[in-house]
Amino acid sequence: MTRTFTLALAGTILAGAATAAPVELGPRPFYLIDRMEEGALKDKLMACQDMEMTAQKFSIGHRGAPLMFPEHTVESNRAAARMGAGILECDVTFTADKELVCRHAQNDLHTTTNILATDLAENCTTPFTGANGDTPAAAECRTSDITLAEFRTLTGKMDAANAMGETVEAYMDGTAGWRTDLYSAMGGTLMTHAESIALFDELGADFTPELKSPSVEMPFDGFTQADYAQKMINEYKDAGIAPNRVWPQSFNLEDVLYWIENEPEFGKQAVYLVEWFNGFDEQNAETWNEDFAALVDQGVNYLAPSINMLVTVKDGQIAASDYAMAAKEAGLNLITWTLERSGPLNTGGGWYYQSVAEAVDNDADYFTVLDVLAQDVGVEGVFSDWPATVTYYANCMAQGM
């Protein structure tokens, strides 16, 4: 019998979605389903092929839809919303004049924008040097190297670099073969954090901004970490966004605790991000339970581990990890990242799938992993680089709730 599940977020049509564009998934979910192994899950998913799809909060656009669009751009987020992502992400960092902008890292402009091909290249922390023999190319360009006005002159590109490029042009031409430059040829439109709020609201989506760790020493020109965390929340308040539409994230627990203490309405949905690290398998349940109990005692309600922490292989099948079950038993709400991020599953899927590499052999296994995350782990949302897959699943499996 096909299992059904109840997700706190999965079946909820977005507030404001009536003004959003119709959901159009494109061919990818159907392509994946066609290639699944025969069984109850495939049968259930196939039975939903004629459904009218709606936007779902269970489907979270990770930097928009960067499988094919330059991340953190207007175009990428419009694509994610079109595919039914009910929550969209702006990774938040700051410029030299302490204005908040959307970038995955403060020091990624050399791989995510055209800065090296502009006069602003001379402002970079580490100017470009081409590869020389076995010595790879090098560059580091930070948002804090430039002002907001200068940031606005840049365009987004696919996040990539050719480490063996001897010229700027060769270095910038490094997009992985399983991604594409088709939608970056004309350049992606960069956004400030405030502009992302206006765009996501227009698209009928909710918000999950991530406060990124600064590459500069803090305080930065008098700008403290607390100032930074507060400024991000202030931009939602200034825009009149209800706190229950915002899931602020950070890998820095101190940021999460700051929001819980100083902005409790936003802190209720503050998300503590954690990721796989060396020696993860050597941790034990006692350590997990102590960690989880401490988080709950401090008021943390949401934990967002990477996918590889939540799934494992048991008896040859993909299954919920002991870590995932301990987190749920502690009362933590789980969100996870990132589906369709690190390459084709027929070669193991990369970092995100290292805990289940022996059990995945083609991209159709994305649905198998997703089903375990939803049914057995009980996650409340899944970040994806191509939200259509998660949107399809959330619509299909929420039938009859």
Side-chain angles (χ1 to χ4, degrees):
M1 177 179 293
T2 301
R3 297 169 295 173
T4 59
F5 66 96
T6 301
L7 295 165
L9 300 176
T12 305
I13 299 176
L14 299 175
T19 62
V23 171
E24 298 177 4
L25 300 183
R28 183 161 176 79
F30 308 97
Y31 169 86
L32 297 177
I33 293 167
D34 285 345
R35 284 155 180 77
M36 292 178 67
E37 293 183 2
E38 298 300 323
L41 178 59
K42 181 175 182 177
D43 291 344
K44 172 62 176 175
L45 293 172
M46 288 188 70
C48 297
Q49 292 186 78
D50 294 327
M51 279 186 67
E52 181 178 347
M53 299 290 164
T54 60
Q56 301 287 326
K57 292 184 185 181
F58 187 68
S59 178
I60 306 172
H62 180 244
R63 316 183 204 178
L67 185 65
M68 298 180 72
F69 290 81
E71 64 186 48
H72 289 310
T73 61
V74 170
E75 295 81 4
S76 185
N77 282 286
R78 285 194 181 279
R82 177 73 73 172
M83 287 185 276
I87 301 176
L88 297 173
E89 178 188 44
C90 169
D91 288 332
V92 178
T93 187
F94 56 86
T95 60
D97 44 353
K98 300 184 282 292
E99 296 295 333
L100 303 186
V101 296
C102 299
R103 287 291 91 199
H104 179 63
Q106 189 168 49
N107 63 340
D108 74 1
L109 293 182
H110 51 289
T111 63
T112 65
T113 76
N114 67 333
I115 191 170
L116 292 179
T118 74
D119 292 341
L120 291 174
E122 62 189 34
N123 293 37
C124 292
T125 295
T126 303
F128 174 78
T129 56
N132 184 5
D134 293 333
T135 303
E140 183 185 1
C141 303
R142 302 174 178 176
T143 57
S144 54
D145 291 333
I146 58 177
T147 65
L148 176 59
E150 291 168 329
F151 177 83
R152 290 186 184 280
T153 68
L154 302 177
T155 60
K157 73 176 194 67
M158 296 298 282
D159 182 15
N162 174 10
M164 299 315 297
E166 298 179 3
T167 65
V168 166
E169 293 75 14
Y171 178 78
M172 292 174 65
D173 185 20
T175 303
W178 45 273
R179 293 184 183 269
T180 181
D181 286 315
L182 182 63
Y183 299 108
S184 61
M186 298 180 67
T189 307
L190 304 189
M191 298 182 294
T192 67
H193 176 237
E195 288 167 346
S196 79
I197 295 172
L199 176 66
F200 300 172
D201 195 36
E202 171 200 328
L203 294 171
D206 285 350
F207 315 85
T208 186
E210 180 187 338
L211 197 73
K212 303 302 295 190
S213 297
S215 298
V216 296
E217 185 176 347
M218 299 291 279
F220 176 76
D221 191 26
F223 190 54
T224 67
Q225 187 69 25
D227 293 336
Y228 180 29
Q230 186 63 53
K231 186 177 178 72
M232 189 182 86
I233 298 300
N234 285 347
E235 294 197 344
Y236 290 93
K237 295 166 73 174
D238 292 345
I241 301 299
N244 64 2
R245 294 182 63 196
V246 184
W247 284 262
Q249 314 169 70
S250 181
F251 279 99
N252 181 356
L253 180 58
E254 293 306 310
D255 294 334
V256 175
L257 297 180
Y258 175 87
W259 295 321
I260 290 170
E261 180 177 355
N262 295 280
E263 292 286 353
E265 291 304 306
F266 288 90
K268 289 177 184 177
Q269 294 184 163
V271 180
Y272 179 36
L273 294 155
V274 291
E275 62 184 321
W276 183 289
F277 54 89
N278 292 334
F280 173 78
D281 284 337
E282 297 172 8
Q283 281 197 320
N284 56 53
E286 181 178 353
T287 301
W288 295 335
N289 290 332
E290 290 173 356
D291 291 346
F292 297 148
L295 290 175
V296 171
D297 287 344
Q298 294 174 96
V300 177
N301 293 318
Y302 285 86
L303 183 71
S306 48
I307 285 175
N308 45 28
M309 299 176 75
L310 297 182
V311 292
T312 189
V313 177
K314 296 179 180 178
D315 299 324
Q317 302 296 315
I318 298 171
S321 69
D322 293 341
Y323 177 93
M325 292 297 92
K328 290 293 291 184
E329 289 171 8
L332 290 163
N333 301 299
L334 298 179
I335 297 170
T336 194
W337 49 280
T338 301
L339 204 75
E340 303 193 70
R341 174 68 189 169
S342 59
L345 296 188
N346 62 357
T347 55
W351 183 84
Y352 290 89
Y353 296 90
Q354 57 187 299
S355 62
V356 293
E358 66 187 85
V360 297
D361 58 16
N362 75 85
D363 280 4
D365 289 326
Y366 281 125
F367 272 119
T368 305
V369 172
L370 188 54
D371 191 53
V372 171
L373 290 168
Q375 302 281 359
D376 300 333
V377 177
V379 299
E380 299 195 20
V382 178
F383 283 86
S384 177
D385 275 19
W386 199 245
T389 303
V390 182
T391 300
Y392 185 101
Y393 181 90
N395 274 274
C396 183
M397 301 303 284
Q399 279 188 298
M401 285 175 49

